[in-house]
Amino acid sequence: EVQLVESGGGLVQPGGSLRLSCAASGFSFSSYWMTWVRQAPGMGLQWVANIDLDGSERYYVDSVKGRFTISRDNAKNSLFLQMNSLRVEDTAVYYCARGVTGDHYWGQGSLVTVSS
Amino acid sequence: SYVLTQPPSVSVAPGKTATITCGGNDIGSLSVHWYQQKPGQAPVLVVYDDSDRSPGIPERFSGSNSGNTATLTISRVEAGDEADYYCQVWHRSSDHVVFGGGSKLTVL
């Protein structure tokens, strides 16, 4: 059974940092691009970043470029999102998803709250 | 940047047909995917690659894509279909994934 489980969310002050993790199981993790998507409270879905099979290609939405870094550890079947210089507007549920688009498997999400 | 436009809300009576559109420049040349999201839950893929239905999704759900508009059609709408629906594409020329703003389907 395919599973994606996010962790690492929580409350952080503006300007702070947080690292999200996504533990993958039930499929060949190293064979799939992976993606982070977020959803601010009461708002729609927003793509954040994705990464190719070995981490050599990474793409970001403009609003997080230079602040967030997506990475992966294929040996540990894990995806990460390092979030620095966090802003109030980064408050959201962050989902990891398999693939780039049109994939069936998403995690249940991890809530990140940026507030003083 | 590439923009996908959805109607914020769609209302339909039970048993009728709901049509949710997703507009984008030459969207017909892209593969469009549709997600259903109910309150407090992660999104669920209902249609992928324009018109393929995900496993376990009723045949009442169908998709099409041509020109500047992609469409998700839900036939014989049921109360359980009430949810937010999002279209999604991978805009390869910018290497960006784009979501539509979402459409809230209300079953009257």
Side-chain angles (χ1 to χ4, degrees):
Chain A
E1 178 194 5
V2 172
Q3 282 197 319
L4 297 168
V5 180
E6 302 94 339
S7 61
L11 175 64
V12 62
Q13 291 188 339
S17 298
L18 215 52
R19 188 192 197 209
L20 299 182
S21 299
C22 172
S25 60
F27 66 100
S28 178
F29 180 74
S30 60
S31 298
Y32 286 86
W33 283 61
M34 295 295 294
T35 296
W36 287 101
V37 174
R38 69 183 179 183
Q39 187 170 35
M43 303 296 285
L45 301 172
Q46 182 186 38
W47 167 73
V48 175
N50 53 28
I51 187 168
D52 74 341
L53 305 187
D54 63 2
S56 59
E57 292 185 52
R58 311 178 195 201
Y59 301 100
Y60 301 90
V61 68
D62 289 350
S63 59
V64 309
K65 275 183 188 175
R67 300 188 300 123
F68 289 12
T69 301
I70 187 172
S71 63
R72 65 192 297 161
D73 184 338
N74 287 341
K76 296 184 178 179
N77 293 337
S78 294
L79 176 71
F80 305 101
L81 187 67
Q82 177 67 44
M83 302 183 293
N84 298 330
S85 303
L86 281 161
R87 305 168 180 168
V88 171
E89 55 265 35
D90 295 319
T91 294
V93 173
Y94 285 74
Y95 297 99
C96 70
R98 193 180 74 170
V100 176
T101 57
D103 200 292
H104 306 80
Y105 297 104
W106 290 48
Q108 283 305 303
S110 182
L111 177 62
V112 172
T113 303
V114 185
S115 174
S116 55
Chain B
S1 60
Y2 192 74
V3 176
L4 295 176
T5 301
Q6 297 182 237
S9 62
V10 174
S11 298
V12 63
K16 299 299 184 182
T17 297
T19 300
I20 300 174
T21 58
C22 176
N25 184 42
D26 195 27
I27 195 173
S29 67
L30 305 175
S31 288
V32 179
H33 318 286
W34 291 91
Y35 293 86
Q36 176 194 70
Q37 187 182 33
K38 296 182 179 179
Q41 298 183 18
V44 171
L45 182 70
V46 293
V47 168
Y48 63 99
D49 291 346
D50 296 339
S51 58
D52 290 331
R53 216 170 19 255
S54 287
I57 299 300
E59 291 184 7
R60 302 183 295 104
F61 287 78
S62 62
S64 64
N65 184 20
S66 179
N68 293 319
T69 305
T71 303
L72 175 70
T73 302
I74 310 172
S75 305
R76 302 181 300 282
V77 167
E78 302 174 357
D81 298 331
E82 196 163 272
D84 294 324
Y85 291 85
Y86 296 90
C87 56
Q88 179 201 45
V89 300
W90 184 7
H91 189 238
R92 290 180 181 269
S93 62
S94 64
D95 282 318
H96 277 38
V97 174
V98 182
F99 285 97
S103 297
K104 182 176 181 60
L105 177 66
T106 299
V107 181
L108 302 170

